Amino acid sequence: SQELEQSPQSLIVQEGKNLTINCTSSKTLYGLYWYKQKYGEGLIFLMMLQKGGEEKSHEKITAKLDEKKQQSSLHITASQPSHAGIYLCGALGGNAGNMLTFGGGTRLMVKP
Amino acid sequence: NAGVTQTPKFQVLKTGQSMTLQCAQDMNHNSMYWYRQDPGMGLRLIYYSASEGTTDKGEVPNGYNVSRLNKREFSLRLESAAPSQTSVYFCASSLWDSGYAMSNQPQHFGDGTRLSIL
C-alpha cells in the first residue's frame, strides 16, 4: 500500500517568513492533493498536481510535484496568521478510482 | 452553498451503543466517502460509494456499515460502539464516478463529527 510521509510534523514561524512543507510518497504519485484544515474544522481543498514538474499557485501558496513524481512540496511566501492550520497531502492510488491516501499532516503556527 | 453537511457535530456514546452518522451533499456529486481522523495518523478511508447504489470497503471498515440512501446522502453506522472508535469522522464527496479510470476531481469535506465512546 502507498504511504505518505510529511515533514516537518509541526512548524512555528514568525509572520512574514517563508516556509516549505514536504510530502514524500513510497510509490509513484498519480495525483497529489493539498488540503488545509483549520483547528476543529473540515478540510479545504487547495490544489491538485498530476504531472511531473507541475507547479501551481494560489495567492501566496505554491505547490510543486517533482519530476520523478514521488515528492511534492508546498511553499508559503510571507506567511500570515491566516495561514495557520494543518496542511495535509493526499495521494491518488495507481489503480482506478478516486481513493486518497493521506499523510499525517503538518501543523503550522504563525506568530504575529 | 451548504456543500457537505454532517450531523451530529458532537456525540458521546457508551460502549455497546449504536448510532448513525449522517452526511448529505448538495453539489450533485457522484461519489461519497467516510474517513476517520486520529492523532498522528492522518485520515483513513472507512468506506466509499462510487455511485448511487454501490458501496465498497476502504482501509479500515471493521465495525462499520454504510448506506448510500440516494445520490445526496451517505450514512455511517456503528452497530456496537467500542472505545477504539473514538475519533473525528469526516464525510466527503466528489464529482468522480466509476466511469473514470482515474480522477482529477477533488474531494470536498464536511466539518466532521467528533465522537467519543466511553
Side-chain angles (χ1 to χ4, degrees):
Chain A
S1 61
Q2 186 170 32
E3 293 185 358
L4 292 180
E5 185 172 335
Q6 287 187 237
S7 62
Q9 290 185 333
S10 63
L11 192 56
I12 303 173
V13 299
Q14 198 70 39
E15 182 176 359
K17 296 294 186 183
N18 302 336
L19 64 106
T20 299
I21 297 168
N22 292 305
C23 175
T24 302
S25 173
S26 60
K27 297 183 179 182
T28 299
L29 291 165
Y30 292 93
L32 191 286
Y33 295 82
W34 282 101
Y35 286 87
K36 178 187 175 184
Q37 182 180 23
K38 291 186 177 180
Y39 300 111
E41 297 182 14
L43 281 69
I44 300 168
F45 171 69
L46 295 176
M47 57 194 89
M48 184 205 175
L49 306 163
Q50 279 190 302
K51 301 176 183 176
E54 186 176 11
E55 185 172 311
K56 288 187 178 178
S57 294
H58 175 68
E59 297 179 342
K60 294 186 178 180
I61 300 175
T62 300
K64 185 173 181 180
L65 184 61
D66 78 355
E67 292 287 346
K68 294 182 180 179
K69 295 180 68 176
Q70 284 200 260
Q71 186 177 59
S72 178
S73 59
L74 185 83
H75 184 78
I76 299 177
T77 303
S79 58
Q80 300 170 354
S82 61
H83 287 127
I86 301 171
Y87 290 83
L88 293 137
C89 61
L92 282 172
N95 51 344
N98 196 33
M99 289 170 283
L100 294 178
T101 298
F102 283 90
T106 295
R107 190 177 293 264
L108 172 64
M109 188 179 300
V110 180
K111 295 170 65 176
Chain B
N1 274 348
V4 179
T5 303
Q6 292 183 236
T7 56
K9 294 190 183 303
F10 302 93
Q11 185 71 49
V12 179
L13 293 177
K14 294 182 179 178
T15 298
Q17 286 185 316
S18 62
M19 83 160 294
T20 300
L21 279 62
Q22 306 288 352
C23 175
Q25 53 90 10
D26 63 1
M27 296 174 283
N28 201 34
H29 282 175
N30 298 306
S31 54
M32 298 185 74
Y33 310 81
W34 276 106
Y35 293 88
R36 60 178 289 173
Q37 184 177 36
D38 301 293
M41 299 187 75
L43 279 82
R44 293 180 292 169
L45 183 65
I46 305 171
Y47 270 93
Y48 71 101
S49 170
S51 59
E52 186 178 353
T54 68
T55 61
D56 283 288
K57 295 178 180 179
E59 182 184 353
V60 289
N62 291 345
Y64 305 94
N65 285 303
V66 290
S67 295
R68 184 75 183 267
L69 305 170
N70 47 56
K71 191 170 185 179
R72 290 187 63 248
E73 299 173 290
F74 189 38
S75 62
L76 179 72
R77 183 161 178 82
L78 286 70
E79 289 292 351
S80 179
S84 61
Q85 294 177 306
T86 293
S87 188
V88 182
Y89 291 85
F90 287 99
C91 177
S93 69
S94 169
L95 202 54
W96 175 82
D97 69 26
S98 54
Y100 295 98
M102 293 295 289
S103 172
N104 62 356
Q105 301 296 331
Q107 294 180 19
H108 298 268
F109 286 77
D111 285 339
T113 294
R114 282 143 191 83
L115 181 62
S116 292
I117 300 163
L118 308 177

